Amino acid sequence: MPPIPPSPTSRIVIYYQTQHNPDGTPCSILPIITNANIAVTHVNVAAIHLNDPPGNITLNDHVPAHPRYVTLWAELRVLQASGIKVLGMLGGAAKGSFTRLDLDEATFEAYYIPLRDLVRERSLDGLDLDVEEPMTLAGVIRLIDRLKNDFGPEFIITLAPVAAALMSDNPNHNLSGFSYEALEVMRGKQIGWYNTQFYCGWGDLSKTEGFDFMVSRGYSAEKIVVGMVTNPGNGSGWVPFEILQEVLITLKTRYPGFGGVMGWEYFNSLPGDRAAPWEWAALMTKILGGKPSTDASTSLTSDTHANPAKGNQNPFLLVDGDVKDKIEAPIPKGFEYYSDGSLDE
């Protein structure tokens, strides 16, 4: 498939896990291409789980070939024909997939080969590795190397770390177990970008401090896609649009190669909610594709979240007023997703 043509926007990535309405009818993803002025670049269909025994793969709670997914797979092919890249999201909040891929070679092969076959069968353009359980650095490198070997250099591999994982090597700030800094050094050329979770207490997208600090640590601005919850019901950390717009325009202006945005998740995205979830993508297209006004790009220069120098201070170190002693910010231990996988059948 030819690459997506150049766009005035950065990446706009949609996570698509809740694929059905409460009445069981499909929650169609096609409006992102049938409505004007939407420039989504990637859709991550979620979530693929590797279960026991080897070969027992589910998309959320059902096998990928289940009749309930007939419309889903057909629509995703239409998206691909329209130039949007479709990736599968592996893992997520439901643990086990990466533990099984992190064992001895024979066990790895037993679980990996059916995953490889699924990617081929569904013609996925890549995999998003959402490692939310302990995994070794050697284990994730083995997986990345095997995917590149089997599918070639054009196959897209992304990861979905919590924002804190790109700000600190403290294991308490990381759901994945391995160091993303070490992974970037060793396999950065094989990784397309990081869908970075700035929500559920792991990051704050109401200011640019976190992004600025990641760049100061050596991560390329082009590889940081800022992730947000698209509705307060999808998790804590939702940022009102008037604040979010200011932050995104600042990032786009400050970093010409700004990586883009991702939204968790599609089905109830604001401002349209369930009735028009594609409106989030239209809004992101407008914010990232339009030319920022002079006021929007300069009005924050006196504030900490628009000052790269101040942004070089780790946002996970708090300063209380005039007190100069820094303390570690509290980090949440877990959170829940609300999606197809958690809805009653």
Side-chain angles (χ1 to χ4, degrees), residues 16-267:
Y16 184 36
Q17 179 164 28
T18 301
Q19 299 129 4
H20 297 86
N21 299 311
D23 62 1
T25 58
C27 174
S28 178
I29 192 73
L30 290 183
I32 67 171
I33 61 172
T34 58
N35 285 276
N37 301 316
I38 296 178
V40 171
T41 57
H42 301 81
V43 169
N44 293 351
V45 60
I48 299 169
H49 303 302
L50 308 184
N51 310 292
D52 285 326
N56 179 13
I57 298 180
T58 54
L59 178 61
N60 295 322
D61 297 328
H62 300 81
V63 296
H66 192 281
R68 71 189 273 116
Y69 296 133
V70 169
T71 299
L72 166 74
W73 294 120
E75 291 191 351
L76 293 178
R77 288 298 184 97
V78 174
L79 296 190
Q80 289 176 311
S82 301
I84 294 175
K85 299 296 185 181
V86 174
L87 288 74
M89 189 200 95
L90 178 65
K95 297 175 174 57
S97 297
F98 293 102
T99 297
R100 297 179 177 100
L101 290 170
D102 200 23
L103 300 174
D104 61 88
E105 288 294 332
T107 305
F108 171 82
E109 290 295 323
Y111 285 101
Y112 172 79
I113 290 174
L115 172 65
R116 178 203 65 190
D117 293 346
L118 173 64
V119 171
R120 286 177 174 167
E121 177 186 1
R122 299 301 173 180
S123 299
L124 297 176
D125 297 300
L127 278 181
D128 178 59
L129 309 180
D130 191 355
V131 188
E132 297 188 13
E133 58 186 304
M135 188 179 196
T136 65
L137 180 62
V140 71
I141 287 176
R142 176 174 62 179
L143 177 58
I144 291 171
D145 287 350
R146 187 60 184 277
L147 288 169
K148 285 293 186 179
N149 182 68
D150 286 343
F151 294 102
E154 299 304 313
F155 189 76
I156 303 169
I157 297 175
T158 60
L159 286 95
V162 294
L166 300 190
M167 300 181 206
S168 169
D169 276 339
N170 185 328
N172 291 327
H173 297 172
N174 189 339
L175 294 175
S176 308
F178 55 83
S179 164
Y180 279 89
E181 186 173 24
L183 179 63
E184 177 66 12
V185 170
M186 298 182 72
R187 289 297 185 276
K189 292 182 179 180
Q190 308 302 320
I191 297 168
W193 64 88
Y194 298 99
N195 293 306
T196 313
Q197 300 181 45
F198 280 84
Y199 47 84
C200 291
W202 298 100
D204 181 2
L205 206 50
S206 69
K207 54 188 70 175
T208 70
E209 286 177 343
F211 193 99
D212 292 330
F213 188 72
M214 291 173 190
V215 174
S216 76
R217 293 194 77 208
Y219 291 98
S220 167
E222 296 181 6
K223 293 183 69 172
I224 306 172
V225 172
V226 295
M228 65 194 75
V229 287
T230 58
N231 185 306
N234 297 343
S236 64
W238 186 78
V239 178
F241 288 117
E242 60 270 21
I243 298 174
L244 182 63
Q245 174 176 279
E246 200 171 29
V247 169
L248 294 178
I249 290 175
T250 301
L251 290 175
K252 178 78 172 178
T253 303
R254 181 177 300 150
Y255 304 104
F258 173 55
V261 298
M262 73 85 162
W264 180 273
E265 58 172 310
Y266 172 71
F267 80 106

